[in-house]
Amino acid sequence: MKMSGYRKEVNTKVFAVCGDERKFIMGYLFIGMLLALSGYLFPFVYQIFIDEILVGGKIFYLKNIIVFFILAFFSKAALGYMNTCYGAWCNKRSLLKIKNSMFSNILKNSVDWFSQTKASDIIVTLENDSVFLNDYLEKYFVNYNVNRISLIAGLALCCAVDPMLTIIAALFSLLSFLIDGKIAEKEKVILNEIRGNNERQINWFRETLSNWKEVKALCMEGEKEKQYMSFLRNHIYWDSKRIYRFAARYLVIPLIKQKVICSILVYFIGGIFVIQGSMTIGEIVSFSSFFSLVTGAMDFLSSGRADLLARQTMIDRVLRTLQTEKSKELSTDSVRGYNIEISSLSFSYDNKMILDDVSLSVQEGDRIEISGKSGCGKSTFVKLLAGLMKPQSRTILIGNQPIRNIDEGERYKRICYVAQDSCLFHMSVRENLLLAKSNLNP
C-alpha cells in the first residue's frame, strides 16, 4: 500500500475512536493553516522594502511598511501561541480517549486470547508501540495537512516570481525526498529489532525475578548478569544505528537543502538573472524567503512520510488493538434454561491426563458436590465449567448451547465462581468489594 493510502487508513481508524473530539481537531487544523499562511506575508514586505525604498528611494512607503510589518508580526505571534496551547490541549484529550479505547479493547478479549498472549506483548503495545500517538494529531494530521497547503501556496508564489528558478530548485529538493524514503526503510527494520529486544527483555525479567530463589540456590547470578548485559548490548547496537539514520534524515539532509539549494543555488542562479535584468534584488530575496518556506514544508512532509514508513509495523499493532470485531458468540437469549450436559470430556496438562472421559448431566435447580483427593482435577473441572479453560475433546453444553458460543460477558454475569486462589487488586478492601456491585453502601 502506498504511504498516502496508508495515512488515510490510519486517520480513518484513529478518528473513528476520537468521536466528539473531531470538532476540536478541525479547529486545531484551522488555526494551524492561518499560522502557516501568515508566514507568507513577510517576503512581500521584504521585496517592497528593497525594491521600492532602498533601491527606488520611495521613503513615503516606509511608514506603511513598518505598520504592516508590526501587524503581521504580532498576528503571527498570537496565532503561534494559540496553536501551541490549543494543540497541546487537543492532543492530550484525544490521546486519553485513544489509549483508553486500546485498553478497553484489550480487556474485551476472550480468556483464550489472554492465555495465548504474552503479558510483555500487551505492555509493549500499550506503552512502546503507542508512542507515535503522543504527537499523532500534531505531526501526522494537522501539521501534515498544513504543510501540504503551505507547499502548494509557496510553489505558486515562487512560480509567480520566476518559474525557471522554481523548477531548478524543486528538482534538487525532490532528490532529498527520495533519499529520505530509502533511509526510512532501513529505520523500519531497526525499530522492529529494538521492539523485539525489549519484548524478550521483559519476558526474561519476569522469568528471572519470579524464579529468584532457584537463581540463588543454583549460583546462577553470574549467568543472569551475562544475559542482562547481552540485552543491553543489543539495545545499544540497534539504538546507535537508529541514531545514525535519525541524524542523516533530520540534520544532514535538511542542512544540505538549506546550504546547497537556498544559499548557493538560488542566490547564484538568481544573481545571474539580476545581472541579465530579468529579476530584481527584491524578487531574489522574496523568492529565497518563499522557497525557504517551501523547503521547510517539503522537509516536514518527507520526514513525516519516512517516520510513518519506519513505524508502520508498530502502528499496525496499535490499529489492530483499536479495531473491534463483532463477537461471533451467541447471546444468552438463545440459551434455553441452564441444564448442563457434559459427555466424554477430557483434559490434560503437558501430556498428563487430568480428566479422562468425564460425563455429567445437571438439571436446572440441582445442587451437586464434587469431591476427590488433591490433584484429581476438581479445580480444573470447575474452571472448564466456568469457561476459563478450553476442553481438549468434546464440549460443555449449557441450555443446549456450547459454552464457548455464549457471549463471554453475559456468561460471567450468570456464573458465580469462587477461585481456590483468589486475588485482591491493588486498591482498598472496600474498592475490591465494590467491584462486584458498585451500588452497595458498605
Side-chain angles (χ1 to χ4, degrees):
M1 182 185 294
K2 293 182 178 180
M3 280 297 106
S4 57
Y6 183 69
R7 185 188 304 277
K8 290 178 182 178
E9 180 187 349
V10 176
N11 286 341
T12 300
K13 291 182 179 179
V14 171
F15 269 66
V17 177
C18 289
D20 294 339
E21 305 299 324
R22 283 176 286 189
K23 57 186 178 183
F24 300 114
I25 297 171
M26 297 311 293
Y28 181 25
L29 176 62
F30 180 71
I31 295 173
M33 287 182 177
L34 290 178
L35 176 62
L37 294 177
S38 67
Y40 285 98
L41 296 176
F42 294 95
F44 289 110
V45 177
Y46 302 150
Q47 181 178 345
I48 295 172
F49 180 74
I50 293 172
D51 288 344
E52 302 297 332
I53 297 175
L54 294 183
V55 178
K58 299 176 182 178
I59 304 299
F60 55 87
Y61 281 161
L62 184 61
K63 180 180 178 181
N64 295 334
I65 289 293
I66 292 174
V67 172
F68 184 80
F69 182 85
I70 292 173
L71 289 175
F73 176 81
F74 281 105
S75 297
K76 186 175 181 180
L79 286 170
Y81 179 80
M82 290 172 59
N83 186 68
T84 302
C85 296
Y86 185 76
W89 174 79
C90 189
N91 202 53
K92 294 302 179 185
R93 280 176 62 97
S94 301
L95 177 64
L96 177 67
K97 199 155 190 174
I98 293 169
K99 295 199 78 168
N100 180 66
S101 179
M102 288 177 63
F103 189 67
S104 176
N105 286 348
I106 288 173
L107 294 179
K108 290 175 183 177
N109 283 304
S110 65
V111 174
D112 286 342
W113 184 87
F114 278 101
S115 63
Q116 296 167 7
T117 305
K118 295 179 180 178
S120 60
D121 189 46
I122 299 174
I123 294 170
V124 171
T125 299
L126 270 175
E127 299 302 325
N128 293 10
D129 291 346
S130 62
V131 165
F132 87 98
L133 291 171
N134 293 337
D135 59 355
Y136 173 78
L137 285 177
E138 179 182 0
K139 187 171 185 178
Y140 295 100
F141 179 72
V142 173
N143 286 348
Y144 175 79
N145 286 294
V146 166
N147 279 279
R148 276 196 352 184
I149 294 173
S150 179
L151 176 63
I152 295 169
L155 286 174
L157 291 170
C158 285
C159 285
V161 176
D162 192 284
M164 183 58 68
L165 189 57
T166 303
I167 293 172
I168 295 172
L171 288 175
F172 278 89
S173 297
L174 182 62
L175 180 62
S176 65
F177 186 85
L178 298 175
I179 295 173
D180 256 357
K182 293 295 183 183
I183 296 175
E185 290 176 1
K186 302 277 187 182
E187 194 174 350
K188 179 180 179 180
V189 176
I190 293 171
L191 290 175
N192 287 337
E193 290 289 345
I194 292 174
R195 185 191 190 276
N197 186 70
N198 290 341
E199 186 177 336
R200 289 189 294 272
Q201 185 175 348
I202 292 173
N203 284 330
W204 178 84
F205 265 126
R206 291 171 63 89
E207 181 182 350
T208 301
L209 295 177
S210 61
N211 298 312
W212 67 271
K213 292 180 181 178
E214 288 78 1
V215 172
K216 297 288 288 183
L218 297 173
C219 301
M220 295 176 63
E221 294 95 330
E223 180 64 26
K224 292 299 179 183
E225 184 177 346
K226 290 179 182 178
Q227 292 174 359
Y228 180 61
M229 289 302 297
S230 176
F231 284 118
L232 290 182
R233 289 191 189 96
N234 285 337
H235 180 79
I236 292 171
Y237 173 76
W238 289 109
D239 198 53
S240 298
K241 282 182 169 291
R242 181 188 64 82
I243 291 173
Y244 296 154
R245 282 155 180 79
F246 177 87
R249 284 206 293 118
Y250 285 94
L251 299 176
V252 178
I253 294 177
L255 183 64
I256 292 173
K257 284 182 184 178
Q258 291 297 323
K259 296 298 182 183
V260 175
I261 298 175
C262 290
S263 300
I264 299 176
L265 184 66
V266 170
Y267 285 115
F268 179 76
I269 298 177
I272 295 174
F273 290 165
V274 171
I275 294 172
Q276 293 176 346
S278 59
M279 291 184 73
T280 65
I281 298 175
E283 286 175 338
I284 286 290
V285 173
S286 65
F287 182 91
S288 178
S289 299
F290 285 140
F291 202 77
S292 292
L293 295 171
V294 169
T295 54
M298 288 187 69
D299 285 343
F300 185 89
L301 294 174
S302 177
S303 63
R305 175 184 176 277
D307 279 344
L308 204 63
L309 177 61
R311 298 181 179 186
Q312 186 174 357
T313 306
M314 295 189 297
I315 293 172
D316 286 342
R317 281 190 283 261
V318 172
L319 294 183
R320 283 196 295 270
T321 307
L322 287 173
Q323 191 172 0
T324 54
E325 296 182 0
K326 290 186 178 181
S327 176
K328 296 180 181 178
E329 297 171 331
L330 299 174
S331 168
T332 49
D333 294 339
S334 62
V335 179
R336 304 298 181 186
Y338 288 91
N339 297 338
I340 300 174
E341 297 290 339
I342 302 173
S343 176
S344 302
L345 178 67
S346 298
F347 191 86
S348 63
Y349 287 112
D350 298 328
N351 297 323
K352 181 182 178 181
M353 189 63 69
I354 303 298
L355 299 172
D356 186 18
D357 197 25
V358 175
S359 298
L360 177 68
S361 178
V362 181
Q363 301 302 310
E364 185 176 350
D366 287 353
R367 295 184 179 183
I368 65 170
E369 174 187 330
I370 301 172
S371 61
K373 62 181 182 180
S374 179
C376 70
K378 301 185 299 296
S379 298
T380 300
F381 182 70
V382 174
K383 288 179 180 179
L384 289 166
L385 276 177
L388 297 175
M389 301 174 73
K390 189 175 181 179
Q392 294 164 349
S393 67
R394 299 291 178 165
T395 187
I396 300 170
L397 302 180
I398 297 182
N400 295 322
Q401 291 291 345
I403 190 172
R404 309 301 299 182
N405 291 349
I406 303 173
D407 179 75
E408 217 174 57
E410 294 296 325
R411 184 200 315 162
Y412 292 134
K413 287 179 182 179
R414 288 162 171 76
I415 296 178
C416 295
Y417 169 70
V418 180
Q420 186 174 359
D421 299 319
S422 299
C423 70
L424 290 175
F425 292 100
H426 189 64
M427 54 181 68
S428 67
V429 175
R430 179 179 182 275
E431 289 171 327
N432 270 274
L433 292 172
L434 290 177
L435 289 175
K437 284 193 175 182
S438 57
N439 58 349
L440 294 179
N441 294 311

